Amino acid sequence: MKPRIGVTGGIGSGKSTVSQQFAQLGCFVIDADHIARSLTLAGGAAIDQIRAQFGARFITADGALDRAHMREAVFHNPQTKQALEGILHPLIKRGIFERYDYACTHTDAPLVIFDIPLLAESTQWSPRLDRVIVVDCLESTQIARVQQRNQLEPTAITAIMAQQASRLQRVRKADAVIWNDALTLPALGATVQALYNDLIASFAHLH
């Protein structure tokens, strides 16, 4: 079995960039967001259950989840959010562990990176992972990055952040923290490389 390394962080923290840098070092990255999106595309494994639970109005003409419609419904009704998560979370978890099994049996990757945005919001992940890395930065930095990337209003960004764990809650789950506030891309890469070296050394007994 390969070491399981969780990578998480709030929106705009640079978590995905860190995961990409681990991939460039030869790690196998499992992207929970990518799995979640694939479940809700046309023909995705969650579509039939979503249609049965919420009705056809939440499915687009081409058979995918109507994201805007669902986002609106979830925002106004916590029970809708819970019901959607009840459908998606078991499928996401299954998809993650299918990919982990593939990484163990079909790749020579030294580490498997579990890129999980809501890792800190869940009690289930920490016991299943060998290490948790949190990518952290100031909240003002998160807002500025997401504004630049997605052209969202600051109020919309802070509403998303309010639904995520706080920085303190995330850091409490961390075995290592990458402080990614004013780092250049090369400096972030050097930080990831150093952390990678430490991880390889600490799991050397498994090889």
Side-chain angles (χ1 to χ4, degrees), residues 125-142:
W125 282 112
S126 294
R128 290 186 158 96
L129 298 169
D130 299 302
R131 296 283 190 282
V132 172
I133 298 166
V134 169
V135 186
D136 192 26
C137 64
L138 296 173
E139 290 179 4
S140 56
T141 304
Q142 289 179 260

Side-chain angles (χ1 to χ4, degrees), residues 10-17 33 142-152 157 160:
I11 187 170
S13 64
K15 168 189 65 64
S16 299
T17 304
D33 259 357
Q142 289 179 260
I143 292 167
R145 283 177 182 157
V146 178
Q147 260 190 296
Q148 191 176 16
R149 185 178 71 199
N150 297 2
Q151 280 74 56
L152 288 174
I157 301 165
I160 293 167

Side-chain angles (χ1 to χ4, degrees), residues 112-184:
V112 180
I113 304 298
F114 288 64
D115 181 331
I116 302 175
L118 302 182
L119 188 152
E121 287 78 351
S122 164
T123 55
Q124 63 166 306
W125 282 112
S126 294
R128 290 186 158 96
L129 298 169
D130 299 302
R131 296 283 190 282
V132 172
I133 298 166
V134 169
V135 186
D136 192 26
C137 64
L138 296 173
E139 290 179 4
S140 56
T141 304
Q142 289 179 260
I143 292 167
R145 283 177 182 157
V146 178
Q147 260 190 296
Q148 191 176 16
R149 185 178 71 199
N150 297 2
Q151 280 74 56
L152 288 174
E153 291 296 318
T155 49
I157 301 165
T158 51
I160 293 167
M161 287 165 61
Q163 293 188 333
Q164 297 185 338
S166 69
R167 286 179 56 210
L168 182 61
Q169 286 168 320
R170 266 194 297 273
V171 168
R172 279 185 177 147
K173 298 242 178 162
D175 296 296
V177 177
I178 295 176
W179 179 244
N180 182 32
D181 200 76
L183 288 184
T184 62

Side-chain angles (χ1 to χ4, degrees), residues 77-119:
N77 189 343
Q79 286 164 321
T80 303
K81 182 172 186 269
Q82 282 180 331
L84 181 64
E85 287 173 349
I87 292 169
L88 291 179
H89 285 183
L91 293 171
I92 293 168
K93 192 158 59 170
R94 189 170 77 198
I96 286 171
F97 282 103
E98 283 172 358
R99 281 165 177 74
Y100 178 66
D101 288 342
Y102 174 86
C104 289
T105 53
H106 289 81
T107 78
D108 56 4
L111 306 170
V112 180
I113 304 298
F114 288 64
D115 181 331
I116 302 175
L118 302 182
L119 188 152

